[in-house]
Every structure is written in structure tokens, then in C-alpha cells.
Amino acid sequence: MEYPGTKFTHQIRLIMLIIFLAAFFVISPIIILYTAGYRYDWQNGLLKETGAISIDVEPADAVVYLNGIKLQDKMPIRLNNIAPAKYSLRITMPGYYDWLKEIEVKNKQTNYTKEISLIKKNKPEILINGKINNYAISHNGRFIIYNVQNNKNSNTWLLDNNSRKTTLLSGLNSPEPADIHWAEKNNYVLIWDSALPYSRLVIINAENPSKQIDLVKNNASIKKFEWANTTDPQLYFSTKENIFTYSPTTAKSKIITKNIYIDWHVENGQLWTMQTETSTNQFKITRDTLGFSSVFNRLDATEINPATGQSEVENLQIMAARQNTILLKNNKISQMILLTNTNKHKIDADKFLISKYNNWWLMWSQWEAWTYSEGEEPYLLNRSGEHLQEIIPLDKYNTLALTWADKTTVLFPYYLVSHDFINEKIEDLSADTENKILYFINQDKNKEGIWKLNY
């Protein structure tokens, strides 16, 4: 039947219906697949799922380039429906070092670039002139104690970074530079002669440096000491006979136990000890010895030095303990033993540090750097022949400064991205991570002193 005035015959209308139906059944799946994240790879003739890219770094107004194309979005950046492939990512900001990495987007996965703080480009500036033997900064970066070589003597000075005032700590002059150890959570410091037996162990409150307490004068030969990890100042130390606790604020000490141990360590009020277990001829590690007293782990003689099969336990020292991990060091060889309740890991290292961020352990020698997080296996972070000297965390994301024989580099360990930082030989690197200030000693005759670098 034909309607008057119509231009479409029945046959034409039928053809149009068939075309519309065919278009619907062809286009609808394409739209559905597209919204589901699928893309057609014309080069390889394949239908592929897509992924996503998520970027959130500091500073928030940093500029991001993907394959050389500038992204207009500000942080955080989220790119969806990205074809699976490898991409060149560059994050840049005037006055900062570029951050460069090749990233890979995979099917139905998001590639995250986050928890990164770009490092500022600044020139170091001299803080203290002179031939500096060593130095140490307080936990909050306010104070620096340092030793200056003056003819045949080493003088110990205190710098208050807030007031810029320097104070000569009288009575501490010595032919040899003193060692310095700050408390972790307050402004008390311990200054001592490194050689045993100690001739002095002087406790100073940096906020009142005129008052000094020498533990050696009131105690027999002290074998070991360490600060408690508490806000109130508290020191633990041991003689051959006893282990003591000492309060600088009250100037009183008390015996907490007999010293019948090969070595000891205090963490959060718990006394960790190592001693010989006569029934098994093993070396027993005990946690909370004066409390619930549980055997944490044991070591056989051959586990300490398998080359000789001898115990050599006198060379074994407890370096640190945290929660369910303890670190021992063999002072005779470049080796550390990391113990958990169930596992033992031997690591070729002679230095260590526990980052105050995320309870992250760092252990290194000149050739290797290892990291460890509780519940995981130790991880080889770096191996090199460039003579690694120091490793220092720089921020809450555990960005690292690595000092080598003639330079210092920055490493973003979770991404294995690195770049140069200081292109000259430096010593005694340390960082005030809250204020992002790096300190180091330069021994060059034209640059002798302690330098600071805002990063």
C-alpha cells in the first residue's frame, strides 16, 4: 500500500529498516566494548583491553609529560582508557630535578606514580668553617654538636640553629675527637671517647649546655650504653656486673638486672638479650627478658661463622630490635644477621639504619645495599663497585641520598629512579627530614667545614 504524497516505497522502507538494524547490531557492541575499556590495535589487528595511569606527586603544580605530550591536568592526574604499551613519563618543575621513568600500562590495570616529592635544585652553602672532625644533629634539627681540630686538640661546639648561637662545651677538649650520640626524641646528647675503656661519658642537655654529667666518674668501667626511645630522657648502660637505667633529669641510676648476657638491647621498654644456652650449646635470643620473657630465636655456632665452624660469639652484637625483628652484627667480618621468629637472613653489610618512616630497614656495605620491611624477605636494592659510603632517607616517602666515593645521588627506591645530586666528594652525610636540609662535611682545603643544602 502506498500513502499519498510519500516518497518512500515499501521496498525502500524495508531496506532502511534492515540498514538501521544492521547498524544497531554493529555499533552497539563497539560502544559497549569502548566504554568497557577495549580498543582496536589497527597495527596488529587485535582487540585489546585498556588500562589507566594515575599520577600524584609533590609539588602539586608540577608539569607532567607523557611521550613528550604535556598533560594539562593538575595533581592528581587520572588517565583512563590508555592503550597497553610502554610510555615515557617526565615530571618537571622549575627549580627542581626532573623525574624520568619508562612506565608500562597493562590490560585492565592502573599504573600508579605516587608518593614522590621532587628534589629541589640548590647550591650548598657553608654553615661552619674549619677543619671539622665529625658532627651530629639533634632529632628535630635544632642543634648541631661538632668537633673542630685546633692544633693538637679537638674542641667540641654546640650550634643552636634557631638562634645561630655557638657555644664551646668546656671541659671536653681532647687530643682525639669525641663521638656524639643524640637521644631519639629529645635534646639530650651523649659525648664519649670511642676507645674502651671509656674515660668519659658526658650527658648534656643542649637547651642548658652548662650542666654536664659524666657517668664514668660515678660508675665502674662501662661496657655499653644506649638511649631509650622515649620523650623523657633515659639512658641504659652496663658494666661487667650489672645493667643500669639512668635518668639525666634526676641524676639517679638504678640496677635493672645482673649482666649475665653476651649482649643486650632495649626497645620500647623491653630488654632483648643474647646468652649461651648450656643445654643445647646454642645462642638464645630472648625478647622482654624482664617481662614475659619469650625465646625469640636461636643460633648455632656455624650460623655465626660457617667458614670456621667456631662460635666467635664475642664478635656478635645486637644492633637493633623492632617488633618482630632483631639485627645482629658480626664485628669480625662484613656481615649482619637479620632474625625474625621463624627466619634467619645473612646479609653482607657493615652499616645499617632504620628509617623513622614506615619502619624501613637499610643495610649496606661498599658493594651492596639491602632493604627490609617486616613480614617480607630482605631485598637487594643496589649492587655496585662504586664504593657506597652512606645511605640517608630524605623524606616521608623514603627517598634516599646515596653517598659514593666522589658523588652523591638521589634514589626513589620504589621506582628505581635516580639522578645526580652532589657531584663532589663529601663525608658524614645527614638530613633534617622535617625541614628538608642536608648536612655534610667537605674536606677540600678551599671548602673546609660543615655545609648545608636545602633540598
Side-chain angles (χ1 to χ4, degrees):
M1 177 179 179
E2 299 291 339
Y3 293 97
T6 181
K7 296 182 179 179
F8 297 110
T9 64
H10 175 75
Q11 185 178 6
I12 293 175
R13 291 198 300 273
L14 181 61
I15 293 172
M16 290 177 64
L17 176 62
I18 294 173
I19 291 173
F20 284 134
L21 287 174
F24 174 80
F25 285 109
V26 171
I27 296 174
S28 294
I30 293 175
I31 295 174
I32 293 171
L33 289 172
Y34 187 90
T35 56
Y38 286 86
R39 296 293 183 273
Y40 187 76
D41 184 348
W42 295 98
Q43 183 175 356
N44 299 307
L46 298 173
L47 186 65
K48 291 184 177 181
E49 294 176 287
T50 61
I53 294 175
S54 179
I55 304 169
D56 190 7
V57 304
E58 297 174 3
D61 52 351
V63 180
V64 179
Y65 292 86
L66 191 66
N67 278 1
I69 300 174
K70 181 180 178 180
L71 305 181
Q72 299 298 324
D73 306 66
K74 290 191 175 182
M75 305 295 170
I77 295 173
R78 174 79 179 192
L79 304 175
N80 296 314
N81 300 323
I82 302 298
K86 291 183 178 180
Y87 296 86
S88 173
L89 178 65
R90 180 165 73 97
I91 305 172
T92 185
M93 180 75 182
Y96 291 77
Y97 289 94
D98 285 357
W99 195 92
L100 305 167
K101 183 174 175 60
E102 183 181 73
I103 63 173
E104 183 176 5
V105 176
K106 296 182 180 180
N107 292 340
K108 300 176 70 174
Q109 294 183 19
T110 300
N111 184 287
Y112 290 96
T113 300
K114 60 180 182 177
E115 297 185 345
I116 294 171
S117 182
L118 300 183
I119 302 297
K120 289 181 180 178
K121 285 183 178 179
N122 279 317
K123 291 184 177 181
E125 58 183 75
I126 188 72
L127 180 67
I128 300 167
N129 285 293
K131 187 173 179 58
I132 308 297
N133 291 312
N134 61 346
Y135 76 100
I137 62 174
S138 61
H139 76 105
N140 57 2
R142 176 181 170 182
F143 297 102
I144 300 177
I145 287 184
Y146 57 98
N147 289 302
V148 179
Q149 192 66 39
N150 184 11
N151 296 324
K152 294 183 178 180
N153 274 335
S154 178
N155 299 324
T156 304
W157 291 79
L158 171 70
L159 168 67
D160 186 334
N161 265 324
N162 289 353
S163 65
R164 312 305 301 165
K165 178 183 177 182
T166 57
T167 303
L168 176 64
L169 299 177
S170 59
L172 294 179
N173 295 346
S174 173
E176 297 296 327
D179 283 331
I180 309 160
H181 184 33
W182 287 95
E184 290 186 32
K185 296 183 178 180
N186 55 69
N187 287 321
Y188 277 79
V189 65
L190 187 63
I191 299 175
W192 78 96
D193 295 321
S194 56
L196 286 170
Y198 301 120
S199 61
R200 58 177 176 172
L201 281 170
V202 180
I203 297 175
I204 298 175
N205 179 1
E207 297 177 25
N208 184 18
S210 61
K211 185 179 180 180
Q212 301 180 8
I213 303 169
D214 192 345
L215 286 179
V216 172
K217 290 182 178 180
N218 302 319
N219 297 276
S221 180
I222 296 176
K223 302 295 183 184
K224 180 176 179 175
F225 52 86
E226 58 184 43
W227 286 108
N229 185 24
T230 54
T231 303
D232 295 329
Q234 187 177 23
L235 187 75
Y236 291 91
F237 68 92
S238 64
T239 62
K240 185 177 180 180
E241 293 78 21
N242 300 302
I243 301 176
F244 298 80
T245 180
Y246 178 80
S247 170
T249 55
T250 64
K252 292 182 179 180
S253 61
K254 65 178 181 179
I255 298 172
I256 60 172
T257 186
K258 293 288 185 182
N259 189 10
I260 58 173
Y261 310 107
I262 298 167
D263 200 12
W264 58 270
H265 176 76
V266 178
E267 177 62 29
N268 288 331
Q270 291 187 342
L271 179 67
W272 293 70
T273 59
M274 178 171 57
Q275 63 189 127
T276 303
E277 193 173 48
T278 54
S279 60
T280 62
N281 202 28
Q282 292 179 316
F283 304 104
K284 180 176 66 175
I285 310 295
T286 304
R287 178 170 55 188
D288 198 13
T289 303
L290 303 180
F292 293 100
S293 187
S294 59
V295 176
F296 184 74
N297 212 324
R298 291 179 172 86
L299 284 172
D300 293 321
T302 54
E303 291 178 308
I304 297 175
N305 194 338
T308 63
Q310 299 175 357
S311 67
E312 296 184 356
V313 72
E314 68 276 4
N315 297 310
L316 205 61
Q317 180 182 358
I318 300 175
M319 304 304 296
R322 293 284 192 280
Q323 300 176 9
N324 296 308
T325 306
I326 189 168
L327 183 67
L328 309 178
K329 183 178 186 300
N330 190 332
N331 292 319
K332 196 171 183 179
I333 58 177
S334 180
Q335 182 188 84
M336 292 186 175
I337 304 174
L338 188 73
L339 296 177
T340 65
N341 292 104
T342 55
N343 294 314
K344 304 169 185 176
H345 305 282
K346 290 185 179 179
I347 298 171
D348 292 332
D350 45 35
K351 295 182 180 180
F352 86 102
L353 181 147
I354 303 175
S355 172
K356 64 180 181 180
Y357 304 108
N358 307 320
N359 193 31
W360 199 48
W361 299 60
L362 294 158
M363 296 149 285
W364 69 93
S365 66
Q366 290 190 20
W367 322 112
E368 294 180 350
W370 291 80
T371 68
Y372 168 77
S373 297
E374 188 169 340
E376 301 178 2
E377 295 288 311
Y379 174 75
L380 179 62
L381 182 66
N382 184 281
R383 178 178 284 141
S384 174
E386 294 189 59
H387 293 258
L388 179 62
Q389 308 295 320
E390 295 290 336
I391 301 179
I392 299 293
L394 294 177
D395 57 31
K396 62 184 178 181
Y397 303 129
N398 284 326
T399 307
L400 302 177
L402 281 67
T403 298
W404 308 88
D406 56 359
K407 65 179 180 180
T408 298
T409 59
V410 170
L411 174 66
F412 300 85
Y414 305 131
Y415 301 91
L416 297 180
V417 170
S418 64
H419 58 69
D420 289 344
F421 192 26
I422 303 173
N423 290 312
E424 58 182 303
K425 181 180 179 180
I426 64 173
E427 298 177 8
D428 287 346
L429 188 74
S430 58
D432 173 1
T433 57
E434 300 301 323
N435 299 301
K436 291 197 171 183
I437 303 174
L438 198 70
Y439 297 94
F440 58 88
I441 292 177
N442 196 322
Q443 298 286 17
D444 188 291
K445 289 184 178 180
N446 298 321
K447 299 180 178 181
E448 278 188 339
I450 297 177
W451 290 72
K452 61 179 289 188
L453 174 62
N454 293 84
Y455 61 86

